[in-house]
Amino acid sequence: MTDSHSAFALKLEHVSKIYRTYSTPQHRLFELLSGGRKQYARETRALDDVTFSLEQGGRLGIVGENGSGKSTLLKVLAGVLVPNAGTVQVNGRVSALLELGAGFNPELPGRENIRQFSMLHGMQREEIDEALPEIIQFSELRDAIDHPVKTYSSGMAVRLGFACAVYVKPDILIVDEALSVGDSYFQNKCMHKIKALLDGGTSFIYVTHAADSIRSLCNRGVWMEKGRTRLIGSSTDVGAAYQSEVFKRIVRAGRAETLQAATDAAPDPVPAQGAPVMGIDHARHQAFEERVAPVRTGSGEARIVDISLVGEDGVETDSLPLDAKCLVRVFYRTTADLPPECALTLGVTDSTGRQLLHFNSALSQTYLPESGGHMLRVVEFRFDNPLSPGEYGFIAGIGTFTPNVRNHGQYVTSLIIDYVAGGARFSVRFPDHPANLDLWGIVHPRFTASEYALD
């Protein structure tokens, strides 16, 4: 049902979707012959009393584990599935990228599939002729555009599917995690295109397993669990709650006996200067070590066991406002005596792993004790956040460093004792209120502009 005057792009009220399965075909027949008096079917509620809305121009992220009902919900929103109960109101043209190549005819070439896709989404022939070169250019399929889609790789299919989905001028764009198949270059290209659509007022729904993604792309969030909405709110709150639950499940699924033994045997921490360290979370440190194990390098006399970002309220967080004062704690434990003047470094990277910021404790004359006594210790870094809104990661290393004789202000590593990448992630949020800022690029320096004549 459509209402062009509605302030909502879409609205769901008490929507349920039930799948009925039978052990044998005969059971289906027996149920029909009984006139409904006997039930042989097993019912599975993929969606159970789901209610939420999305305002026009809004950006909604949906998170949840496998089997939580995310994909069924998207198919209901896209009109692919009809719910058993409840109402769905959708206002405007919907373009959905739910599966790789969904809706394409594998026997036809890419060019003809573009035409068919566009016609099915209500575009006129003149509009299709105008959009066709842009879709082909964005997909970067070149000569392959005239080959049958059945000859495409999964990466080629997602390029074509995404290009079609965004160029049919949708009022509502629905994207599943199909983009994860593409390479990092194409993913970044897609994200820029999505952001351009959002700036133009397109409503957006994105389903993902990653809390980072909904915080960077969305302003609202829905956490699905077993077909129900467990939490609805801001993308920051929903993302943080979901990520916290995922971490708890990782810990519960870990080696409980090993963690308990580590807890019993570990000494108390020695807090560094600054805000107090509130105790040791051995389960968290264990999860951190397992996460970075594939990329850890170094001689091993000391090991980084965790990286923690602390907000201005003194509470650990994974999301910061603009211009926040940052406190990052890097936890480490020594396993043998360290060389003299051993320092710890902290880096901040973008989503592709490119390093954006770098901090070396040696510049503050902060060196690690040569004999750490196998104790858990902390190095703290404090700085003002210069980054624009987006998703970022931390890397950290322990080693000895000497000044670069050619590039002044740069240190080179003489000995790597430990180095970890991918240990922790965080996001920088957009302002909650209108702000006189230009938030494109990586950093947002304050600036002035002037204009004058040369004649």
Side-chain angles (χ1 to χ4, degrees), residues 224-279:
M224 296 294 297
E225 186 176 67
K226 297 180 179 178
R228 287 181 165 269
T229 53
R230 174 164 172 176
L231 181 63
I232 301 175
S234 70
S235 60
T236 300
D237 292 342
V238 172
Y242 175 69
Q243 194 167 49
S244 176
E245 178 65 19
V246 169
F247 175 76
K248 291 177 182 177
R249 292 182 181 180
I250 291 173
V251 172
R252 288 197 296 266
R255 304 173 184 85
E257 293 182 2
T258 301
L259 298 180
Q260 185 60 49
T263 303
D264 296 338
D268 293 333
V270 177
Q273 279 190 331
V277 180
M278 299 304 293

Side-chain angles (χ1 to χ4, degrees), residues 57 59 138 162 166 173 175 179 187-204 206 212-218 350-351 388-392 428 430 439-442:
R59 296 166 288 156
F138 188 91
F162 184 85
V166 297
L173 176 63
V175 179
L179 294 183
Q187 289 181 38
N188 288 332
K189 183 177 179 178
C190 291
M191 292 306 170
H192 282 294
K193 182 61 179 177
I194 288 174
K195 289 177 180 177
L197 288 173
L198 300 186
D199 291 340
T202 299
S203 304
F204 180 59
Y206 184 52
D212 291 345
S213 298
I214 72 162
R215 285 195 295 257
S216 62
L217 287 173
C218 307
D350 64 11
S351 58
S388 292
E391 297 293 322
Y392 304 97
V428 177
F430 280 94
L439 296 178
W440 287 99
I442 297 170

Side-chain angles (χ1 to χ4, degrees), residues 14-95:
H14 307 293
V15 168
S16 295
K17 179 62 180 177
I18 303 171
Y19 292 105
R20 296 166 61 85
T21 58
Y22 296 85
S23 301
T24 66
Q26 290 84 352
H27 284 168
R28 184 190 297 269
L29 178 61
F30 294 159
E31 184 172 300
L32 288 172
L33 294 175
S34 72
R37 292 187 298 275
K38 290 186 178 181
Q39 298 291 328
Y40 292 87
R42 178 179 178 182
E43 292 188 349
T44 301
R45 286 186 172 267
L47 297 177
D48 189 3
D49 196 30
V50 175
T51 298
F52 65 84
S53 60
L54 175 66
E55 72 279 6
Q56 291 183 350
R59 296 166 288 156
L60 178 69
I62 302 175
V63 294
E65 62 182 3
N66 291 333
S68 62
K70 304 189 307 298
S71 296
T72 302
L73 177 58
L74 283 197
K75 290 175 181 177
V76 168
L77 295 176
V80 177
L81 292 177
V82 177
N84 296 91
T87 59
V88 180
Q89 293 183 357
V90 179
N91 301 304
R93 176 186 291 169
V94 177
S95 181

Side-chain angles (χ1 to χ4, degrees), residues 91-338:
N91 301 304
R93 176 186 291 169
V94 177
S95 181
L97 185 60
L98 303 181
E99 297 176 5
L100 297 181
F104 290 152
N105 186 332
E107 302 298 330
L108 294 179
R111 187 184 301 273
E112 291 306 313
N113 271 291
I114 293 174
R115 292 187 178 277
Q116 289 193 0
F117 186 98
S118 301
M119 291 174 61
L120 289 172
H121 284 78
M123 293 180 68
Q124 302 300 317
R125 186 175 298 275
E126 296 77 13
E127 293 179 294
I128 297 172
D129 291 339
E130 181 181 347
L132 189 62
E134 297 182 17
I135 294 174
I136 296 173
Q137 181 180 11
F138 188 91
S139 67
E140 300 181 2
L141 292 177
R142 300 182 179 88
D143 293 342
I145 199 67
D146 292 311
H147 297 167
V149 168
K150 67 181 180 181
T151 65
Y152 288 6
S153 67
S154 60
M156 295 167 69
V158 74
R159 286 171 184 263
L160 181 61
F162 184 85
C164 289
V166 297
Y167 278 97
V168 296
K169 301 178 182 178
D171 299 301
I172 304 171
L173 176 63
I174 300 176
V175 179
D176 204 346
E177 277 185 318
L179 294 183
S180 62
V181 176
D183 56 33
S184 58
Y185 158 73
F186 186 69
Q187 289 181 38
N188 288 332
K189 183 177 179 178
C190 291
M191 292 306 170
H192 282 294
K193 182 61 179 177
I194 288 174
K195 289 177 180 177
L197 288 173
L198 300 186
D199 291 340
T202 299
S203 304
F204 180 59
I205 301 175
Y206 184 52
V207 166
T208 178
H209 290 86
D212 291 345
S213 298
I214 72 162
R215 285 195 295 257
S216 62
L217 287 173
C218 307
N219 54 17
R220 299 287 294 170
V222 174
W223 176 4
M224 296 294 297
E225 186 176 67
K226 297 180 179 178
R228 287 181 165 269
T229 53
R230 174 164 172 176
L231 181 63
I232 301 175
S234 70
S235 60
T236 300
D237 292 342
V238 172
Y242 175 69
Q243 194 167 49
S244 176
E245 178 65 19
V246 169
F247 175 76
K248 291 177 182 177
R249 292 182 181 180
I250 291 173
V251 172
R252 288 197 296 266
R255 304 173 184 85
E257 293 182 2
T258 301
L259 298 180
Q260 185 60 49
T263 303
D264 296 338
D268 293 333
V270 177
Q273 279 190 331
V277 180
M278 299 304 293
I280 309 172
D281 189 340
H282 295 287
R284 176 191 169 99
H285 294 178
Q286 175 76 13
F288 176 91
E289 293 211 47
E290 292 178 358
R291 190 162 60 245
V292 303
V295 293
R296 187 189 289 275
T297 58
S299 55
E301 291 87 354
R303 294 174 66 87
I304 295 166
V305 299
D306 201 4
I307 302 174
S308 173
L309 174 64
V310 180
E312 292 181 319
D313 57 0
V315 178
E316 184 179 359
T317 184
D318 59 3
S319 180
L320 292 172
L322 282 173
D323 302 318
K325 294 187 178 299
C326 298
L327 166 60
V328 181
R329 292 185 175 123
V330 182
F331 297 79
Y332 74 97
R333 190 185 298 276
T334 56
T335 58
D337 289 347
L338 299 177

Side-chain angles (χ1 to χ4, degrees), residues 315-382:
V315 178
E316 184 179 359
T317 184
D318 59 3
S319 180
L320 292 172
L322 282 173
D323 302 318
K325 294 187 178 299
C326 298
L327 166 60
V328 181
R329 292 185 175 123
V330 182
F331 297 79
Y332 74 97
R333 190 185 298 276
T334 56
T335 58
D337 289 347
L338 299 177
E341 296 190 345
C342 186
L344 192 146
T345 63
L346 174 71
V348 178
T349 66
D350 64 11
S351 58
T352 67
R354 179 180 57 172
Q355 186 159 294
L356 307 177
L357 306 176
H358 189 263
F359 310 95
N360 191 326
S361 69
L363 270 68
S364 300
Q365 300 297 305
T366 299
Y367 297 102
L368 312 189
E370 294 180 32
S371 178
H374 300 270
M375 300 180 69
L376 183 67
R377 304 184 68 90
V378 181
V379 176
E380 291 187 348
F381 295 90
R382 295 175 180 271

